[in-house]
Amino acid sequence: MQKVTVQTSSEKYDVLIGGGLLEKSGQIISQYFGTPTLALVADDRVYELYGQALEKRLRQEGFKLCSFVFPHGEASKNLETFTNLCESLAQNQLTGSDMILALGGGVTGDLAGFAASAYLRGIGFIQMPTTLLAAVDSSVGGKTGVNIKAGKNLVGAFKQPALVLCDTNTLASLPPEVRADGLAEIIKYGMISDRELFDFMKKGPALESELENIIKRCVEIKAAVVQADEFDQGQRQILNFGHTLGHALEKISDYKISHGHAVAIGMVLVTRAAQSLGLTEENTLGNLTECLKKYSLPTQSPYTAQELAKPALRDKKRRGDTINLIVTPSIGQARGHKVKADELESFIERGLEK
Ligand SMILES: NC(=O)c1ccc[n+]([C@@H]2O[C@H](COP(=O)([O-])OP(=O)(O)OC[C@H]3O[C@@H](n4cnc5c(N)ncnc54)[C@H](O)[C@@H]3O)[C@@H](O)[C@H]2O)c1
Ligand SMILES: [Zn+2]
């Protein structure tokens, strides 16, 4: 088992990563927090795969439990599900000393975390990520929230978990495309912060035995960035590499292109443009595309620069008249590059394959 401790200005919490943590979760949670009543939150797929077994174990360990199960998928990450979840917490008389247990991917973690930030003005919550993306990214760092009609993640709160338990055994049942979303984020961490991790990923998919270490490394990188900039005022933006254009791709495709796949394309576009402007070392693009292809991740945009520029200009990372895009001067390093709003389209044009 691996452990990373995250220390933000307001909170300190452990991230435990290892095979079989689900079975041990009752003991672990009671060591940390005693036996609060736990509200298990899971989507229907994850509940069926792991939720029922987890409930049984937790009951055996003496925990009182209630469960909230919602239909899987991004479409559930909305205010209606959030309201239903809060109502369910109230009906089950959860108090300020009880806790929410978010078992699932990023959708579950974001939704449950937001409820934990708001119900009774805040109660504790534990993340149990079951997707690779949630393990390396969304379960750590404290960004929570839901989508509204106007856009993704537009309503939310910063709410750090009290503990993260990542049972790597649960990742075995992931469909390949969902797994690939997480792989894209791992490659992103390599690109922005860790050449060694990138080189390891570029060797190709024999990473099963190394998964625990890879997740640990990604969590360490994310923890370091979050510790330096908990509320996303500056340095945290490097985590956004590939994301401004990635979000645009998700939006235009009506979310048919999933997050990690969109980020893969976004990283390629921004790197090709940066390389053509001399902002990035010569061979960076070739290395990046070679690596992404090893995991069957896409590297080409089905959309034009004009189509991509529009939603990118509405990105919530926009400040005034400039957009801060993240570029990698070389693999393992990242910095912001400001592009004027009216020059974004031509920047993206440079990023498209001719
Ligand atoms: N808070 C953050 O910092 C942050 C960071 C990145 C992404 N996100 C958010 O995360 C969400 C995407 O997360 P996701 O990709 O995990 O999506 P998800 O939670 O929808 O999970 C994807 C699918 O995999 C299924 N699944 C989950 N675990 C499984 C398992 N072990 N075996 C088989 N199937 C399983 C789910 O039922 C779902 O159908 C987006 O809403 C995004 O905005 C948040
Ligand atoms: Zn992401």
Side-chain angles (χ1 to χ4, degrees), residues 133 137 185 188 239 243 259 263:
L133 182 134
D137 192 357
E185 297 283 0
K188 178 198 77 177
L239 296 171
H243 278 61
H259 181 72
V263 167

Side-chain angles (χ1 to χ4, degrees), residues 5-111:
T5 302
V6 184
Q7 170 88 68
T8 67
S9 55
S10 52
E11 314 266 344
K12 185 177 179 183
Y13 56 95
D14 289 339
V15 180
L16 307 183
I17 306 147
L21 285 182
L22 218 69
E23 279 105 77
K24 297 184 207 136
S25 56
Q27 286 150 281
I28 298 173
I29 293 170
S30 60
Q31 275 163 15
Y32 275 88
F33 310 110
T35 47
T37 296
L38 297 173
L40 177 71
V41 180
D43 72 29
D44 50 358
R45 272 197 189 155
V46 173
Y47 185 72
E48 200 151 293
L49 282 167
Y50 305 107
Q52 282 155 329
L54 176 63
E55 278 180 344
K56 209 168 140 198
R57 294 213 160 256
L58 290 170
R59 287 211 168 91
Q60 281 165 355
E61 291 287 331
F63 285 93
K64 279 203 195 116
L65 275 173
C66 60
S67 311
F68 180 83
V69 181
F70 63 93
H72 65 275
E74 186 73 29
S76 284
K77 204 176 104 172
N78 59 28
L79 285 168
E80 192 189 345
T81 319
F82 167 80
T83 307
N84 292 340
L85 170 53
C86 292
E87 292 288 357
S88 161
L89 298 174
Q91 270 159 20
N92 285 288
Q93 298 175 358
L94 240 75
T95 69
S97 53
D98 298 327
M99 297 181 95
I100 293 179
L101 189 58
L103 175 74
V107 165
T108 302
D110 281 10
L111 182 69

Side-chain angles (χ1 to χ4, degrees), residues 147-193:
N147 309 325
I148 57 173
K149 279 199 205 96
K152 233 175 101 101
N153 299 328
L154 286 186
V155 175
F158 285 100
K159 171 74 181 174
Q160 301 291 341
L163 177 68
V164 182
L165 292 175
C166 174
D167 184 342
T168 47
N169 291 349
T170 62
L171 306 176
S173 56
L174 286 175
E177 334 73 74
V178 179
R179 190 182 172 80
D181 282 330
L183 292 166
E185 297 283 0
I186 294 173
I187 294 168
K188 178 198 77 177
Y189 283 115
M191 286 293 291
I192 60 171
S193 179

